[in-house]
Amino acid sequence: MMDTPDAPQTEELSPAQVIAFSPKTEPVKPPRVLSIANQKGGVGKTTTAINLGTALAAIGETVLIVDLDPQGNASTGLGIDRRNRRCSTYDVLTGQAPMRNAILATAVPRLHIAASTLDLSGLELEIGAARDRAFRLRSALAQVNNGGANDYTYVLVDCPPSLNLLTVNAMAAASAILVPLQCEFFALEGLSQLIKTVEQVKATLNPDLTIHGIVLTMHDARNNLSNQVAADVRQFMGRKVYDTMIPRNVRVSEAPSYGKPVLVYDLKCVGSEAYLRLATEIIQREKELKAS
């Protein structure tokens, strides 16, 4: 009769050993959220969102643009046909879909967009009574990264030209606000209103909110008023104003009608060069903020 071998002895591991042998999981890194806001229309918010997003992607960042304007110009300007917007930021903010379902690829590598539709214009009526109405975007963006290779490093939120619930959502979700300011007579008046709103949101909804910077748009160096406004804004806001100014440039104006960012439409024009400089300046400012 053959002897049966003894069952192998299993050695119990201590809790410390279990931790030591367990695979280490890196915490999911949230993206930096920059909301592009100004309650005035026609100052270059959407143009800045599209072209800054493209410029950041061109220098190696992975970028998501969130279109929160019911007009959907950021989506159109990146070539997203309205028929392809089956799931939009409206569905995300009403809780019908996660943000990942609304994200579409663009023709620019490493640049994606969560498109909008006209349904967004009725959002305030639908969720105005909800307790979490100001935090819908923040909650949606908290789930967008999963620790994978395709995680976003930057989210740019294109706000509507008003201080409504959509803009409040963008500010409540933001790491910082980026303000496009047209070089025109009423620029400082609109800026002071926006600063008050930022302070209110900071006091009530998002204590970490800051103004990342102010970008002067549609600057015409041949125009005395344009130069005077730029000088006044720099005197009023100091280092908050980026060194880079976006010039008036016909190529920047033409590009959206072709569904392209100006950096794709005409890389060598002065508008494209300005947005690349702005992206580099923003990354540099980010490094300074981390170091401080």
Side-chain angles (χ1 to χ4, degrees):
M1 216 175 142
M2 292 178 65
D3 291 334
T4 55
D6 293 334
Q9 296 293 309
T10 56
E11 189 181 334
E12 229 175 88
L13 296 175
S14 70
Q17 287 172 309
V18 170
I19 292 169
F21 286 121
S22 298
K24 288 185 173 66
T25 55
E26 291 291 325
V28 175
K29 192 175 179 186
R32 283 283 287 172
V33 181
L34 301 180
S35 290
I36 300 172
N38 190 329
Q39 73 275 16
K40 279 179 67 61
V43 298
K45 287 187 296 294
T46 299
T47 302
T48 298
I50 291 170
N51 293 301
L52 177 59
T54 303
L56 286 168
I59 61 176
E61 303 294 336
T62 307
V63 184
L64 170 65
I65 294 174
V66 176
D67 192 347
L68 275 199
D69 189 342
Q71 295 176 74
N73 290 338
S75 309
T76 305
L78 282 168
I80 306 299
D81 192 285
R82 290 189 183 276
R83 289 169 295 184
N84 295 334
R85 304 177 202 178
R86 293 182 186 87
C87 181
S88 70
T89 49
Y90 167 81
D91 300 299
V92 174
L93 295 181
T94 54
Q96 297 175 56
M99 181 64 82
R100 281 274 173 189
N101 286 17
I103 293 173
L104 299 168
T106 73
V108 179
R110 293 186 300 278
L111 178 66
H112 295 84
I113 186 164
S116 87
T117 58
L118 274 171
D119 294 334
L120 266 184
S121 56
L123 183 82
E124 198 146 353
L125 289 172
E126 293 199 41
I127 69 167
R131 293 184 66 180
D132 68 339
R133 61 188 175 274
F135 300 106
R136 294 291 181 95
L137 182 61
R138 181 195 288 184
S139 300
L141 290 176
Q143 310 298 321
V144 83
N145 280 356
N146 55 21
N150 296 321
D151 279 358
Y152 297 104
T153 51
Y154 281 93
V155 172
L156 304 180
V157 184
D158 184 30
C159 296
S162 57
L163 297 174
N164 58 14
L165 184 58
L166 289 166
T167 303
V168 169
N169 259 270
M171 289 187 179
S175 313
I177 304 290
L178 193 155
V179 186
L181 203 67
Q182 186 179 355
C183 294
E184 58 154 29
F185 184 69
F186 292 112
L188 279 173
E189 186 180 314
L191 180 60
S192 58
Q193 280 181 290
L194 182 70
I195 290 169
K196 281 181 192 169
T197 305
V198 170
E199 290 303 320
Q200 287 171 347
V201 171
K202 186 172 182 175
T204 55
L205 302 173
N206 184 359
D208 298 324
L209 187 65
T210 61
I211 291 180
H212 193 282
I214 295 158
V215 56
L216 296 167
T217 62
M218 305 179 205
H219 178 257
D220 185 349
R222 301 163 300 175
N223 184 315
N224 286 337
L225 176 62
S226 198
N227 290 326
Q228 186 59 53
V229 169
D232 289 347
V233 174
R234 289 190 189 283
Q235 185 177 4
F236 184 59
M237 294 301 295
R239 285 203 71 246
K240 283 289 181 189
V241 186
Y242 299 112
D243 293 334
T244 304
M245 292 191 286
I246 310 301
R248 276 198 182 277
N249 179 227
V250 69
R251 306 301 269 174
V252 172
S253 305
E254 287 173 354
S257 63
Y258 292 89
K260 294 177 180 178
V262 70
L263 282 92
V264 175
Y265 181 63
D266 185 352
L267 179 59
K268 297 209 166 140
C269 73
V270 292
S272 294
E273 290 171 356
Y275 277 111
L276 284 167
R277 284 198 305 275
L278 178 63
T280 306
E281 193 174 345
I282 285 172
I283 296 295
Q284 184 56 42
R285 195 168 285 197
E286 288 282 288
K287 287 177 184 170
E288 290 169 8
L289 288 169
K290 283 178 191 169
S292 62

